[in-house]
Structure formats: structure tokens, C-alpha cells
Amino acid sequence: MPAAGGVPRVGDNAFERWATLIRERTGVEIPRQRHSFLATGLARRMRATGVNDSEAYYQWLSRGPGAGLEWNALVDQLTVQETRFYRDPRGLALLRRYCREHTRGDAGALQVLSAGCATGEEAYTLALVLEEAVGGGRGYAVTGTDISLGALALARRGEYPATRLWRLPRALRDDGVEPAGEGRWRIVERIRRRVCFVQMNLLRDDPVTLPPLDVVYCQNVLIYFARRQRERLVRRLAEWLRPGGVVILGGGEFPPTSLAGLQRVGGEDVLAFSREAS
Ligand SMILES: C[S@@+](CC[C@H](N)C(=O)[O-])C[C@H]1O[C@@H](n2cnc3c(N)ncnc32)[C@H](O)[C@@H]1O
């Protein structure tokens, strides 16, 4: 598969091999229609690393020791990090409801995970909603996780152009962001202190350092996964909950079937499961 015109030719067999490697390691499915997306991502990384034979690049990534950093860089190319502040008002309404029902608790601060948080907009949105709901009382902590180190670096900066903020309701904007110069806005320190970002592959890693979670918020991640991986992932997310905690998914990302040990909650307009008390 020599590189031609800057983009390696990826034949059917090679496409299958790459798609399998990516699916097995990340869960992300690259369908055949996205062939050129894969080829372009490979080309970028091959150019950046000076490897001009895609077979050699494959061998390096699939076996080579020390390929971890390059694997991270390729994953950055092959994952979709599109995100927005205040993306799903229905999921956030369920979060508010959960907070109202759990204003007091002897378990300390509410622990919330933004799973597949991309560049941080979702994690900060959750923090802004939680600040309003429980900030003066029980308190809260948000952990944003993603497989992409590049996305997490931007998330940690917590600075965004003004154009990205328009969906945030006025009250949350007034409370949560401040000007950072040159048309950019920064999440205020009070909110940033409540949020941390950690690299995590949702299929493989466990949040061992986190206490049992009240809420796992995972939206627009499952859609990139092979269908058979979706149920497995929802089950994993639910295992990280404390009894009574909820997984809030994006609508339509997962067939709203019943899952043993999990109870469908939140009504028709939102897809969420609660872990039954054991
Ligand atoms: C489209 S973004 C969704 C961002 C945010 N949740 C939202 O709804 O706005 C999908 C994110 O999932 C991340 N992702 C994909 N596979 C992953 C995996 N196996 N583990 C962790 N994150 C993953 C990608 O890097 C990307 O940032």
C-alpha cells in the first residue's frame, strides 16, 4: 500500500484490518462509507511521523513497543470530537431532577462523570447546572473523561470562543464564564475547581480512583460504537454507579430495551437507566 498523492491507498483487506484494530481498541466503528476519512487520518499521521509505507505504520502501531503516543495521535484523528455547551436540555433536566431528589445525602458531594467529554463543554455544562442545583449545599465534583489527549488538553484550558457559548442559558453564562480577551471566554475559577479531566478508554479502563458515581452522563459516544458494543458499554457505565445512581444517555443512541439490574427512568423523552439498589 504505497502512499500516493499524500493519501495511502487503503485496499479492502487493509481497510478491514485497520477498522478491526480501531474497533477492538476503542469500540469506535469506522464503516466502509468512511473509507476516505480513515485514509486521510492515516495520511496525516504518516506524514507527521515520516513513515511513508502504511504497512510499516500498521506494524508499528499494532505491535511496536512505545507506540502508545502515536496511537493516541491517530485516535485524535479518527474520533469525532464535535460537542456543544448545553447540548441536550432534556438530559440536563433529568440531572436537575436527580439533584432535587438527592439534595441531602450522607455520601458527600455528588459525583458526576462526563464520559466522552471531548473538549470539555459537556463537563462544564454539567458543573454549571450542578452549581445552581447543589453548589450551596451538598456540593459536587465532575470528572470529564475522553480517549483523546488532544481534546482533553483543550478541555483543561477551559477557554472558548464566544460563538460556542450561545446555547448556555443567560443565568448560567452570567455565573460561569468571564472574558478572556480576543473574543474568548473562560470558565470561572469557582467552576473549574470542581471539574477535572482524565484520559480514559471507556471500553477498557475503570475509574478506579473515583468514588461510586451518582450520575454518568454519556451522550453522542455510543453512536460511534459497533452495535454489539453499545450494550456492553452501557452495562460498564452502570457498574460504576452507586445503587440508585443514573446513567443519562443521548436519545436514540441505544435501543430502549430493558437491561437486567437497571431500571429505565426519566420518561419518554430521555434515555436513562438507574441502577437498582442491591
Ligand atoms: C461526538 S463527541 C461527544 C462529546 C460530548 N459527549 C457531547 O455529547 O457533546 C464523542 C467523544 O467520544 C470520545 N470517544 C470515542 N471513543 C471513546 C472511548 N473508547 N473511550 C473514551 N472516549 C471515547 C471521542 O474522543 C469524542 O471526544
Side-chain angles (χ1 to χ4, degrees), residues 25-28 75 79-84 87 114-119 122 145-148 151 200-203 218-221 224-225:
R25 289 193 183 178
T26 69
V28 171
V75 165
T79 45
V80 177
Q81 277 126 32
E82 189 194 328
T83 184
R84 277 170 246 148
R87 190 170 190 176
S114 166
C117 66
T119 43
E122 179 181 275
T145 65
D146 202 279
I147 200 169
S148 162
M200 187 171 153
N201 180 340
L202 292 171
L203 268 194
C218 184
Q219 297 200 331
N220 305 297
V221 176
Y224 298 103
F225 278 51

